[in-house]
Amino acid sequence: MTIAQWFDYLWLKLSAMAALVFGRTGRAEEIFTQMIRRWPGNAYALASRAHVRAQAGRHADALSDAQALVDAHPQRSAGDWFNLAFLLEANDRVDEAEKAFRHSLEMDPKLDRAWYGLGLALIRQQRFDEAVAALKRNTELQPMSPYGWYQLARVHIDRHEPEEARKIIRHLKKFEPKVAAQLERETGLQP
C-alpha cells in the first residue's frame, strides 16, 4: 500500500467510524463496501460490514462477510470464527455453526461465549451429553453469568435429571434470583 493509499484507507476508516458514532449505519456500510472494493479481503472492512449488517438483522448478508473474513484470514482471530458461528446458527446452519464454534475454541480455549454457543448448537442437535460438557466449561469461565447456568439446567431437565437442575436453581438463587425463579416456573421444580 502506497502512502497515498494508506491515507485514503485511513480517511475511509475514520469516516466510517464517524458515521457509526452519529448513527448513520447505512452510510458506514457504504464506506465499508467502498473499502472492500478497493482492498478486497480487508479484515477491518469485512468484520465491520458484517457487524453493521448483523445489527440491522440482515444475517445472510452478514454471514457472507463473516465467511469471506475467515476465508481470507483464517488465523486472525478466534472472535472472527465465533462471529461466523453465531451467524451460521442464526441462519439455521447448526452443523456448520458447531464446526465454527469448535474452530474458535481451538484458537482460544478460554473464549467463554464460544463454549456457550457450542452448547446451544449441541442442544439444537439434541446431543445433550456434549452440551452439558460445553455449558459446564462456559460456567467455569463465567461463573456469575446466568445464561450458561440456565441452559445447563434446561439440559438436565431434558436428560431427566431433576436433582441436577435443582442444584443449579439453588446456586442461581445466590446471585440471580430472577433467573432461578424463572427456572422454577418453567420446570415446576423447587430447590
Side-chain angles (χ1 to χ4, degrees):
M1 188 180 289
T2 67
I3 291 176
Q5 289 173 328
W6 184 83
F7 277 113
D8 286 346
Y9 175 80
L10 184 60
W11 173 252
L12 289 170
K13 185 175 179 179
L14 292 172
S15 297
M17 292 168 69
L20 291 171
V21 166
F22 292 106
R24 299 187 60 215
T25 56
R27 177 67 185 134
E29 183 179 350
E30 290 171 10
I31 295 168
F32 295 135
T33 299
Q34 184 180 356
M35 292 173 77
I36 292 166
R37 279 193 201 116
R38 290 185 66 183
W39 300 284
N42 179 271
Y44 171 78
L46 284 168
S48 299
R49 189 171 74 173
H51 178 76
V52 166
R53 288 174 165 183
Q55 293 291 81
R58 295 175 30 228
H59 291 180
D61 292 335
L63 176 57
S64 176
D65 286 338
Q67 186 66 62
L69 176 60
V70 299
D71 288 347
H73 307 279
Q75 297 303 316
R76 185 179 93 109
S77 163
D80 293 343
W81 283 94
F82 168 81
N83 292 336
L84 173 64
F86 177 85
L87 291 165
L88 285 164
E89 188 174 24
N91 282 276
D92 292 320
R93 294 167 57 182
V94 181
D95 293 342
E96 294 170 87
E98 177 196 348
K99 290 176 186 164
F101 281 127
R102 289 188 188 280
H103 192 89
S104 175
L105 290 166
E106 287 171 13
M107 294 179 75
D108 183 359
K110 293 185 178 184
L111 189 59
D112 59 277
R113 59 190 180 182
W115 284 109
Y116 180 76
L118 177 60
L120 294 181
L122 293 167
I123 289 169
R124 288 185 64 185
Q125 297 173 64
Q126 297 187 350
R127 292 165 52 196
F128 298 126
D129 292 345
E130 293 172 81
V132 165
L135 292 169
K136 281 186 177 180
R137 185 67 182 127
N138 169 259
T139 60
E140 289 168 6
L141 293 167
Q142 278 289 5
M144 299 307 288
S145 172
Y147 304 108
W149 290 110
Y150 173 86
Q151 293 298 335
L152 188 55
R154 299 295 311 178
V155 172
H156 283 305
I157 294 298
D158 291 339
R159 291 174 62 184
H160 307 289
E161 299 170 340
E163 191 49 44
E164 292 301 314
R166 279 189 186 95
K167 288 178 188 175
I168 291 170
I169 291 170
R170 281 192 294 271
H171 177 69
L172 282 170
K173 280 186 176 281
K174 297 175 188 172
F175 65 98
E176 284 289 346
K178 289 181 181 179
V179 176
Q182 179 181 345
L183 275 168
E184 288 175 345
R185 284 190 305 275
E186 291 176 0
T187 64
L189 296 175
Q190 298 298 316

